[in-house]
Amino acid sequence: MTITTKHSTRRQLQTANATAEQARARNNVLRERFPPRSAEARWPATAQSADEVLRRLTSPPFLPAANATRAGRRRGVAKLLRWLSSLPGETWQQRWKSSRAEEIPGADWTDLPLRFLRQSGPSPSYERVDLTSGLLMLVCGDVIRPDLAWILTRTHKHLAPVMAEVRDPEGFARLAQLSEAEPTSVRGEATIAATRIAMLLACKGGSIADITVGDCVELVDTLRRVHVRGGQRKVDFYLRLRALDVFPEDAPATIRAFGLAAGRLSIEELVDRYPIQCRPVRDLIVDYLRERQPSLDYTSLDAVSRTLAGLFWTRVEVLSPGIDSLRLPPALARAWKTDIATKKRTTIGPDGTAVEVASPRLNAKDELIRVRAFYLDIAHWAAEEPARWAPWVVPCPIGDEEISKAKDRKHRKARMDQRTRERLPLLPMLTETVDRRRRAAAELLAAAEHTRPGDLIPDTAGILRRAVAPKAAGHLTWAEEISTGRRRNLTYEETEAFWTFAAIEVLRLTGIRSEELLELTHHSITEYRLPSTGEVVPLLQVAPSKTDSERLLLVSPELADVLSTIIRRLRGGSAAISLVTSYDVHERVWNPPMPLLFQRDIGTEHRAFTPTALRKLLINALAATGLTDAGGEPLVFSPHDFRRIFVTDAIMNGLPPHIAQVICGHRSLDTTMGYKAIYPAETIEAHRAFIARRRATRPIDEYRTPTEEEWDAFLTHFEKRKVSIGTCARAFSSPCMHEHACVRCSLLRPDPAQRSRLEEILDNLIARIAEAEREGWLGEVEGLKVSLAGAEDKLAQLNRRSPHTVDLGMPSAAASARTAKASGEKS
């Protein structure tokens, strides 16, 4: 039983298409609440006669101050009306559509009326310019409403100003007042936003107050479809209209909420992403997920649905077509387990055909656990609701031994501990580097802002000069490297350096999760007054995230300094932090506007940092440090590494583990201890301290050197083991802990006959120590001194064991003669 490449590819395509369709359907729910205005077939201005249109468009407010401009617009309107009158249609809009001018992008549409006019009479050289001016008048006068996609392919330098004069002076005046309150650096965005709004009036009619949320969504969709460049300026107009209270109160805070990736899938949509053939099993999985939904977050629910509907039943049906029962034959169960043990992806081979590449699935046991839980939950629920669940109760094809993760957890623990051990010593270097990088970027930006374009920037050793900012980014400060000509966005560099510093500092000082970091708000900083002393203690409130429980962290002076720096930066010249709407990538929902601490300006919009942006900050920071791991590869820090380092450092410095558990928000103390990396050096020092404490509580006589009589009484029970300088009292069949360095061993009983050898060893050790000290071999000196102390101790033992003798001296020959003579005389 194997899955062929053809079937696998077809299944992947079906799944991808189903996911895209459901994403569009999910997005349509929001779009149906805010539909765009439909195109009208007829309205009063487009049904007027040519004379009425010409009279209205050459009267106030359609009269510019310059006579040449006024004459050119009059000529253009008259020529376009003459051309359109030759086309079929009852209204000017119908005639415009029948001309098919919108099928020609850009300014080339003028070729159609020019051809007609040249056939009708002489053609002045300025006729093309007159036609573009005439079209501007017809559009602003609401005589014709061009297609949105077509109008985006043209330049519109005068569209917004003319619309402000003739269509909605009051609305554009309010829009101008809004832009005047913004910094001068973003005035360019205001101009582009006004042009986008004028386009909506040109294509939809009415005034600014008539624009709907759906109109804006349609414009953004069209911008994306025709690939119009502009980045943030594509959505900036929506924010300005929302600020003018044009939209209803329930309108999304950002137009990005209408993206195809936004929103949640229903349970039915989660399951229907996969082509399940057996309808009863599909309905069973839907009921099962609905039963578990209250206890799961959306991410977990999505993962369970992928496992049950995708990896489990869809693959079972491929292996056994037509199966309609959860009871899997042993052969089928084994084939399915073998199938999901690998991940399969389809690539294009050298010959252009689809090739399936397999790789081990690292989380295969997690998938088995979810399927086993599916079987066991149904069996458990059948006792309470037999009519609903009992028909599906069958033996589970997955045994306990197949999902055992004890060894996996140990391996994972070892990997994470090693990762923490590698990064903890490097954390001070990382923090110092990012702080230095932040200060240097701020100083460089300040110096560049006070330098005229083209001049060298001070304190850069003549390698940087102030560059003229691009037209699309005039509010940013740019520099150019003289040697390479590379342009650098100093404003972006300073912003990135600051938020890298802020993120690393908050992560390492609090140990919070990355999603908790991105959800910190100005309101998260609170205070607590101690009841005993009345002292005010600052606290940081961490919103519920993974465990759905909030917690309070004590703010250290270092953390307080970082938080105050962030708040001062966000406030700028205002008294409050901007409210930002963020998207929860885990729950797939848009959060209400909040004064988030980690937000940045993109154009005129304040956006929350995303997990992807946070990871990018860390990657760039580590690239700047040049740190490498044990294998020489660039070191990588994930946001969760700081959490593990925080726990390890806190417990090693005396914080009780149960307090660390509360600070980290763990449900189990085992989880907290799993984060702590145990160092071998720490274990060794703790063991040595334990031995020292135990020795201090025992009688000192237990550690004295045995007397000669005690050794002799002990050794009479054993055969003596002779060594080079004495007798070894080590038990037979036991290893030598000193590796036969006998002079260090307390079990050596030196032989008095080997005194000269011991003295020779002693002299040699003294000479070697002198040489090691002279050469700087400090490690060798320490070992030699231990051996020297052992040799001196052995000589001292020999001295204590030697019999006490009195030197009587050696008699001379004369003394002997006198002694003999004296003895003879006495006799």
Side-chain angles (χ1 to χ4, degrees):
M1 298 181 183
T2 58
I3 302 179
T4 63
T5 302
K6 181 178 179 180
H7 289 166
S8 177
T9 305
R10 183 184 303 146
R11 185 175 67 253
Q12 292 176 359
L13 291 175
Q14 290 174 346
T15 302
N17 292 336
T19 302
E21 287 295 334
Q22 290 158 359
R24 284 189 288 271
R26 178 178 73 253
N27 185 254
N28 287 338
V29 174
L30 184 61
R31 291 170 180 261
E32 289 174 0
R33 288 177 49 200
F34 302 99
R37 288 179 289 172
S38 58
E40 298 182 30
R42 191 183 186 92
W43 60 93
T46 193
Q48 292 178 336
S49 64
D51 293 338
E52 291 175 332
V53 171
L54 185 60
R55 187 182 311 111
R56 183 169 64 89
L57 297 185
T58 55
S59 304
F62 293 92
L63 294 179
N67 291 332
T69 304
R70 188 184 312 167
R73 290 178 178 178
R74 184 187 303 111
R75 290 194 302 269
V77 170
K79 292 174 181 178
L80 282 180
L81 291 177
R82 185 154 54 102
W83 168 60
L84 291 174
S85 299
S86 65
L87 300 173
E90 298 180 357
T91 65
W92 298 111
Q93 178 69 9
Q94 293 175 357
R95 299 184 185 107
W96 168 256
K97 289 297 183 182
S98 64
S99 71
R100 307 183 70 175
E102 293 177 351
E103 297 179 5
I104 304 175
D108 293 340
W109 68 273
T110 55
D111 291 341
L112 296 177
L114 278 178
R115 189 179 305 115
F116 169 81
L117 294 174
R118 287 168 182 168
Q119 293 175 355
S120 304
S123 175
S125 59
Y126 48 81
E127 207 160 41
R128 190 181 296 272
V129 179
D130 290 346
L131 293 177
T132 56
S133 298
L135 180 64
L136 177 66
M137 291 293 98
L138 292 178
V139 169
C140 293
D142 204 21
V143 177
I144 61 175
R145 296 176 182 176
D147 182 70
L148 194 55
W150 180 78
I151 200 172
L152 286 171
T153 64
R154 307 182 64 251
T155 57
H156 306 283
K157 181 178 179 181
H158 304 289
L159 180 62
V162 174
M163 278 287 187
E165 294 175 3
V166 304
R167 181 75 68 88
D168 189 5
E170 182 179 352
F172 280 92
R174 292 177 58 204
L175 197 64
Q177 292 176 359
L178 188 66
S179 63
E180 289 175 358
E182 297 172 344
T184 308
S185 58
V186 296
R187 296 290 172 82
E189 279 77 2
T191 302
I192 296 176
T195 302
R196 294 280 190 261
I197 294 172
M199 288 181 183
L200 288 176
L201 301 187
C203 301
K204 296 289 185 177
S207 62
I208 291 180
D210 299 322
I211 297 176
T212 66
V213 174
D215 293 343
C216 298
V217 175
E218 184 180 3
L219 175 57
V220 172
D221 291 342
T222 309
L223 285 166
R224 187 180 297 112
R225 189 173 70 250
V226 299
H227 306 292
V228 174
R229 299 180 60 184
Q232 167 63 18
R233 302 178 186 88
K234 294 181 181 180
V235 299
D236 185 59
F237 71 96
Y238 180 89
L239 302 174
R240 297 175 185 274
L241 291 174
R242 196 173 188 278
L244 294 177
D245 295 328
V246 173
F247 303 142
E249 295 182 358
D250 60 341
T254 173
I255 202 169
R256 290 182 290 115
F258 292 87
L260 286 177
R264 297 184 178 186
L265 288 172
S266 65
I267 291 180
E268 289 79 3
E269 291 172 335
L270 288 172
V271 176
D272 290 339
R273 291 179 295 181
Y274 306 95
I276 296 178
Q277 302 300 321
C278 182
R279 189 70 183 183
V281 174
R282 178 263 182 195
D283 296 338
L284 173 66
I285 296 176
V286 169
D287 290 343
Y288 174 79
L289 293 175
R290 185 171 288 110
E291 196 74 17
R292 292 199 58 189
Q293 185 177 16
S295 60
L296 298 176
D297 58 17
Y298 181 79
T299 302
S300 301
L301 189 69
D302 182 33
V304 175
S305 69
R306 289 179 184 274
T307 299
L308 297 182
L311 289 177
F312 175 50
W313 194 252
T314 300
R315 298 202 175 195
V316 166
E317 287 186 334
V318 173
L319 294 169
S320 179
I323 186 172
D324 59 357
S325 172
L326 296 183
R327 186 184 297 273
L328 304 184
L332 176 59
R334 286 193 299 270
W336 169 71
K337 294 172 189 177
T338 302
D339 180 45
I340 69 164
T342 57
K343 295 175 64 176
K344 302 175 181 64
R345 58 186 179 88
T346 303
T347 60
I348 304 301
D351 56 351
T353 59
V355 179
E356 193 170 70
V357 180
S359 60
R361 187 183 298 277
L362 299 180
N363 65 333
K365 287 188 177 180
D366 293 329
E367 309 296 349
L368 294 178
I369 289 174
R370 294 192 184 106
V371 176
R372 178 174 171 80
F374 175 60
Y375 276 84
L376 298 184
D377 286 341
I378 290 177
H380 178 71
W381 297 341
E384 299 178 358
E385 298 182 74
R388 181 181 181 188
W389 304 107
W392 297 100
V393 176
V394 295
C396 179
I398 303 170
D400 289 338
E401 69 282 354
E402 297 179 84
I403 60 173
S404 176
K405 300 187 67 175
K407 184 180 293 186
D408 296 337
R409 284 193 292 267
K410 291 178 182 178
H411 289 170
R412 182 178 182 274
K413 167 68 173 169
R415 291 196 307 271
M416 292 300 102
D417 286 356
Q418 181 61 26
R419 186 181 179 94
T420 302
R421 294 189 191 106
E422 288 181 351
R423 285 155 180 75
L424 181 55
L426 301 176
L427 185 59
M429 183 184 300
L430 176 61
T431 56
E432 179 183 356
T433 302
V434 297
D435 186 34
R436 184 170 62 251
R437 180 168 170 249
R438 170 184 68 101
R439 297 179 185 276
E443 293 172 358
L444 179 59
L445 178 61
E449 289 176 342
H450 292 85
T451 304
R452 293 181 302 180
D455 292 348
L456 293 176
I457 301 177
D459 301 326
T460 61
I463 63 174
L464 282 180
R465 64 185 173 195
R466 177 75 183 272
V468 178
K471 183 178 180 180
H475 60 288
L476 304 177
T477 301
W478 291 73
E480 182 181 355
E481 295 180 357
I482 296 178
S483 59
T484 63
R486 185 173 70 93
R487 294 169 62 86
R488 292 169 53 182
N489 185 345
L490 300 184
T491 304
Y492 174 79
E493 290 180 5
E494 190 276 335
T495 301
E496 182 188 38
F498 174 83
W499 288 113
T500 302
F501 161 80
I504 291 178
E505 288 295 303
V506 175
L507 285 172
R508 78 174 184 89
L509 294 173
T510 60
I512 60 178
R513 304 178 180 92
S514 60
E515 60 267 26
E516 295 170 340
L517 171 80
L518 300 180
E519 292 176 359
L520 289 178
T521 69
H522 194 194
H523 302 314
S524 300
I525 305 174
T526 182
E527 61 182 29
Y528 172 72
R529 188 176 299 274
L530 298 176
S532 56
T533 62
E535 180 183 358
V536 176
V537 178
L539 297 175
L540 184 66
Q541 182 183 18
V542 180
S545 60
K546 186 175 181 180
T547 58
D548 289 333
S549 60
E550 69 173 1
R551 61 189 190 277
L552 294 171
L553 306 180
L554 181 65
V555 177
S556 63
E558 192 175 5
L559 177 59
D561 182 60
V562 175
L563 294 176
S564 63
T565 303
I566 294 174
I567 293 173
R568 286 198 303 270
R569 182 184 182 93
L570 293 178
R571 279 180 170 173
S574 61
I577 296 177
S578 302
L579 300 180
V580 176
T581 301
S582 61
Y583 180 68
D584 191 330
V585 296
H586 300 288
E587 293 294 336
R588 305 286 182 87
V589 295
W590 287 90
N591 296 320
M594 294 181 292
L596 296 177
L597 294 184
F598 282 84
Q599 59 173 277
R600 54 181 174 172
D601 297 338
I602 299 181
T604 57
E605 183 183 10
H606 303 281
R607 288 192 188 179
F609 274 89
T610 62
T612 301
L614 180 60
R615 287 192 296 270
K616 182 180 177 181
L617 291 178
L618 296 180
I619 292 173
N620 293 340
L622 288 163
T625 63
L627 297 174
T628 58
D629 57 15
E633 297 295 328
L635 193 66
V636 176
F637 265 85
S638 70
H640 217 70
D641 285 327
F642 295 98
R643 183 170 173 82
R644 295 182 180 277
I645 291 174
F646 175 83
V647 174
T648 299
D649 186 61
I651 295 180
M652 288 179 60
N653 284 280
L655 183 69
H658 66 283
I659 301 299
Q661 174 194 355
V662 176
I663 292 176
C664 293
H666 290 148
R667 292 178 178 175
S668 171
L669 184 60
D670 293 338
T671 304
T672 305
M673 296 307 297
Y675 275 47
K676 180 181 180 291
I678 302 297
Y679 284 76
E682 177 189 6
T683 305
I684 294 171
E685 294 299 326
H687 194 193
R688 292 182 62 188
F690 166 74
I691 294 175
R693 290 194 303 269
R694 192 176 72 170
R695 284 182 173 178
T697 59
R698 303 292 296 177
I700 193 171
D701 292 342
E702 294 186 3
Y703 301 99
R704 64 179 175 81
T705 302
T707 64
E708 189 68 23
E709 292 76 11
E710 291 172 337
W711 270 111
D712 289 339
F714 174 74
L715 294 177
T716 55
H717 300 283
F718 306 96
E719 185 69 26
K720 293 183 179 180
R721 181 191 288 112
K722 298 295 292 183
V723 292
S724 61
I725 54 177
T727 303
C728 177
R730 174 171 55 87
F732 288 95
S733 74
S734 62
C736 177
M737 63 182 296
H738 291 96
E739 298 181 355
H740 304 285
C742 298
V743 294
R744 300 185 181 186
C745 184
S746 61
L747 297 179
L748 173 68
R749 305 299 294 171
D751 185 358
Q754 301 297 329
R755 173 185 290 274
S756 59
R757 181 172 176 78
L758 273 174
E759 291 175 346
E760 182 181 353
I761 292 174
L762 187 67
D763 294 340
N764 179 260
L765 287 171
I766 293 174
R768 290 172 62 191
I769 290 173
E771 179 188 10
E773 290 178 342
R774 184 173 61 254
E775 299 295 337
W777 303 332
L778 301 182
E780 185 74 12
V781 169
E782 183 178 355
L784 291 173
K785 287 184 176 180
V786 174
S787 298
L788 178 64
E792 291 174 343
D793 180 64
K794 297 301 179 280
L795 282 174
Q797 292 183 32
L798 288 178
N799 292 334
R800 289 194 298 270
R801 293 167 54 189
S802 298
H804 183 68
T805 59
V806 178
D807 186 9
L808 298 178
M810 181 65 68
S812 63
S816 300
R818 288 194 298 269
T819 303
K821 182 179 180 181
S823 299
E825 291 177 350
K826 288 182 180 181
S827 61

